[in-house]
Amino acid sequence: MYAQGQNGLMSTWREHIRSRGLAAWILAAVMMGFYVDLYWFDHLEPLAQALGLRNRWFLYGGLYCVLMVVGGALYLRRHGNSRYNQIRISVNVLVQVLLAFTLPYVMPLLGGKEFYFSYFWPLKYDLLLPDTLSKLPLYLSIYALVGSLIAAPILAFFFGKRWYCSWICGCGALANTFGDPWRHLTSKSTRSWRFEQVSIYLVVALVIFMTAVAGLGGLVGDAHPGFVSFAGQTKHVYGFVVGSILSGVIGTGLYPLLGPRVWCRNFCPMAGLLGLTQKLGRFRIRVKDDMCISCGNCSAYCEMGIDVRSYAQSNLDFTRAACVGCGMCAHVCPRGVLRLENRWDLNADKDKQHLVVLDF
Ligand code: SF4
Ligand code: SF4
């Protein structure tokens, strides 16, 4: 079945590791335990030192790269019969290996700063704080400010949030490669959708609040020690809850049980803000009229829990804030019903509805 290129879901439910069997629960427990140890203990430091790495975070980065390279190769074995998938996954892996591991490791060796070019605010939540910016060379401060506040939303406006969530981001890259075998586990229930609507915009509000408070704390300095202490605690709590528990322990540890986009769908503030921009912009999924045979492949493969089939059945083009533009719905459709597009709807059939779902 694998040798035929496109591997359907038929085999999935016979594999315990991919269908919430005992093996999946054990793997999830191991992954969550790994993240707990990584964030709050230093058992991995000796191994990192023995391997000649600067600290355990580079050990983690190296493991991340290995999982992505192996996961990417397996992904291409399953779904590589599409140029979009071939280019997307190759870029995913290259960006992580070069910009999120090699360059940050090498730059300090050459006298520069350790800097991660593929992460922007609000995903990297402390990037725009005065404390962080003041320690960076001017060109990196400008890169951080322009990349986070101008380039990211503009690119999302023209190309959808896929430019980041499905091509550049490290969280998305791990989900797309190592996490792909569990993509069908993402819940399509209305309850999950309601939870996502509340949780993701709550984190967006929290990161804006934390940035404002911590930024102000950095500016007022010693003049208001009480406020500085409150600002420091706010940043610490945000980092603990969102930066560690939601993104790592839960967001990645639960891949084998809840699918690979738990973090991206429910908690990532970058995905939340880019999703809002996406809905105002040019990205859409176009549906060919009266072609859908209701097989449900598109919905089953959607890693963001979007019921794509319902739009296809209703002949509705759609833009969803949650969609990361992975393209899998279009790829697995046996009738070629779906198409990802970045363009204004100038020549569209005027009678045809275009649905922009207001999911907030
Ligand atoms: S709707 Fe399609 S392109 Fe968007 S996240 Fe789901 S599968 Fe990927
Ligand atoms: S759009 Fe394609 S994949 Fe989705 S239900 Fe219809 S025929 Fe099946």
Side-chain angles (χ1 to χ4, degrees):
M1 199 170 226
Y2 273 111
Q4 291 170 0
Q6 182 63 58
N7 188 24
L9 287 174
M10 292 293 284
S11 64
T12 301
W13 305 108
R14 292 199 297 267
E15 297 172 26
H16 290 186
I17 192 85
R18 296 180 66 198
S19 53
R20 299 193 183 119
L22 181 61
W25 282 86
I26 292 172
L27 181 59
V30 169
M31 287 168 63
M32 292 172 82
F34 171 82
Y35 276 99
V36 168
D37 191 84
L38 177 73
Y39 287 126
W40 297 296
F41 300 94
D42 56 5
H43 296 127
L44 294 171
E45 277 304 339
L47 180 59
Q49 305 294 329
L51 292 172
L53 297 169
R54 198 171 297 140
N55 53 44
R56 68 183 190 276
W57 296 104
F58 278 96
L59 176 64
Y60 174 57
L63 181 63
Y64 212 88
C65 291
V66 169
L67 288 177
M68 263 188 297
V69 170
V70 174
L74 292 174
Y75 176 94
L76 291 178
R77 193 168 167 223
R78 286 191 294 274
H79 312 297
N81 51 344
S82 119
R83 181 169 285 273
Y84 184 75
N85 279 339
Q86 290 165 4
I87 299 174
R88 184 172 69 90
I89 294 300
S90 304
V91 170
N92 258 184
V93 172
L94 276 177
V95 165
Q96 287 314 296
V97 172
L98 295 178
L99 298 188
F101 182 76
T102 308
L103 206 52
Y105 192 79
V106 169
M107 282 172 76
L109 300 178
L110 302 176
K113 290 289 288 183
E114 183 181 312
F115 189 81
Y116 295 78
F117 285 90
S118 54
Y119 289 99
F120 301 98
W121 182 89
L123 181 58
K124 183 158 176 41
Y125 57 88
D126 60 353
L127 185 61
L128 300 188
L129 297 180
D131 271 3
T132 309
L133 291 176
S134 63
K135 290 176 188 143
L136 292 175
L138 183 62
Y139 78 98
L140 288 181
S141 299
I142 293 173
Y143 178 87
L145 282 163
V146 172
S148 302
L149 301 179
I150 299 174
I154 287 180
L155 286 170
F157 185 81
F158 284 102
F159 303 107
K161 73 187 203 187
R162 61 173 158 168
W163 82 267
Y164 193 71
C165 299
S166 281
W167 289 73
I168 304 294
C169 175
C171 310
L174 193 71
N176 283 326
T177 52
F178 173 69
D180 181 71
W182 297 289
R183 62 163 46 241
H184 57 286
L185 296 180
T186 303
S187 172
K188 278 82 185 169
S189 72
T190 306
R191 201 165 57 166
S192 309
W193 183 49
R194 292 217 172 101
F195 178 82
E196 163 196 339
Q197 288 172 292
V198 173
S199 61
I200 197 157
Y201 296 113
L202 183 62
V203 179
V204 168
L206 282 176
V207 79
I208 291 171
F209 175 75
M210 185 280 293
T211 305
V213 169
L216 211 52
L219 291 177
V220 298
D222 296 336
H224 299 277
F227 185 78
V228 171
S229 164
F230 171 68
Q233 283 168 5
T234 305
K235 185 182 153 198
H236 179 75
V237 170
Y238 182 90
F240 177 78
V241 175
V242 180
S244 302
I245 294 179
L246 295 181
S247 77
V249 180
I250 289 177
T252 309
L254 289 179
Y255 273 19
L257 300 178
L258 297 181
R261 291 279 191 174
V262 177
W263 159 252
C264 314
R265 180 186 183 186
N266 299 295
F267 307 117
C268 176
M270 184 97 185
L273 286 177
L274 293 184
L276 291 176
T277 316
Q278 171 164 279
K279 289 205 297 196
L280 301 172
R282 305 196 317 169
F283 175 77
R284 72 191 55 228
I285 295 185
R286 186 177 288 282
V287 170
K288 280 189 201 157
D289 286 357
D290 303 326
M291 290 278 285
C292 174
I293 54 171
S294 287
C295 68
N297 269 1
C298 49
S299 296
Y301 272 89
C302 179
E303 59 191 350
M304 297 303 284
I306 297 168
D307 187 3
V308 183
R309 174 172 56 180
S310 62
Y311 300 109
Q313 283 176 321
S314 310
N315 296 328
L316 288 171
D317 299 346
F318 67 98
T319 306
R320 283 282 299 266
C323 174
V324 288
C326 65
M328 281 298 288
C329 53
H331 180 63
V332 297
C333 175
R335 299 270 287 165
V337 174
L338 306 160
R339 186 181 161 85
L340 277 64
E341 293 184 348
N342 306 310
R343 57 180 173 179
W344 303 119
D345 212 9
L346 294 178
N347 301 315
D349 180 348
K350 290 201 168 39
D351 294 330
K352 188 166 182 180
Q353 295 180 62
H354 169 218
L355 192 67
V356 178
V357 175
L358 296 174
D359 41 2
F360 67 95

